[in-house]
Amino acid sequence: MTDNIILIVTISLIIIFSPFFAKILRLPTTPIEIILGSLLGYVGFLHDEHLFDLVAEFGFLYLMFIAGTEINLKNVLKTPVSVMKKVVVYLAVLYGFSIAFSVQFDLGKIFIVLLPSYL
């Protein structure tokens, strides 16, 4: 019971203070939340809880959905073919490295999608 309260308080503090850190560091809030969560998870404030795993995966999928809705498809279709070819090659190389890195270091499948989003 106490562990769950510590988990909820820690997540709440990350959500509350990440915009302040983001403003100081001049970075978007979402990467700051991910970094703070990773650091506090490494230190031990975030422990393994089934409900937390479910909420974390749902939150990540929601984040990817929101990122996808910010793309203006009309502008994408007006892009010259030469630029589109370069973009496709870039994404293929980026995801190739992401897959190789995730497999090499035995990371979860979620890192295949997560790693390219930082570059």
Side-chain angles (χ1 to χ4, degrees):
M1 178 78 172
T2 318
D3 291 339
N4 290 337
I5 293 172
I6 291 172
L7 180 65
I8 292 170
V9 169
T10 305
I11 293 172
S12 299
L13 290 174
I14 290 172
I15 292 170
I16 290 170
F17 289 113
S18 61
F20 298 113
F21 288 123
K23 190 173 184 179
I24 292 169
L25 298 172
R26 294 183 182 157
L27 292 170
T29 306
T30 305
I32 298 296
E33 288 175 344
I34 293 171
I35 291 168
L36 287 175
S38 299
L39 290 174
L40 292 175
Y42 180 76
V43 172
F45 285 108
L46 301 176
H47 62 278
D48 191 26
E49 179 69 32
H50 175 67
L51 184 59
F52 179 67
D53 291 339
L54 183 65
V55 171
E57 187 167 343
F58 178 75
F60 178 74
L61 294 175
Y62 180 70
L63 176 68
M64 291 296 107
F65 171 75
I66 294 298
T69 59
E70 293 181 10
I71 297 173
N72 188 347
L73 290 178
K74 289 182 182 179
N75 289 342
V76 172
L77 294 176
K78 293 179 185 176
T79 306
V81 176
S82 63
V83 174
M84 289 299 284
K85 287 180 182 178
K86 291 176 184 176
V87 167
V88 168
V89 169
Y90 172 74
L91 289 175
V93 169
L94 187 65
Y95 277 94
F97 280 128
S98 176
I99 291 168
F101 189 81
S102 297
V103 169
Q104 177 68 29
F105 293 104
D106 198 29
L107 301 175
K109 293 178 184 175
I110 197 81
F111 282 94
I112 293 172
V113 177
L114 186 64
L115 290 174
S117 66
Y118 284 114
L119 299 176

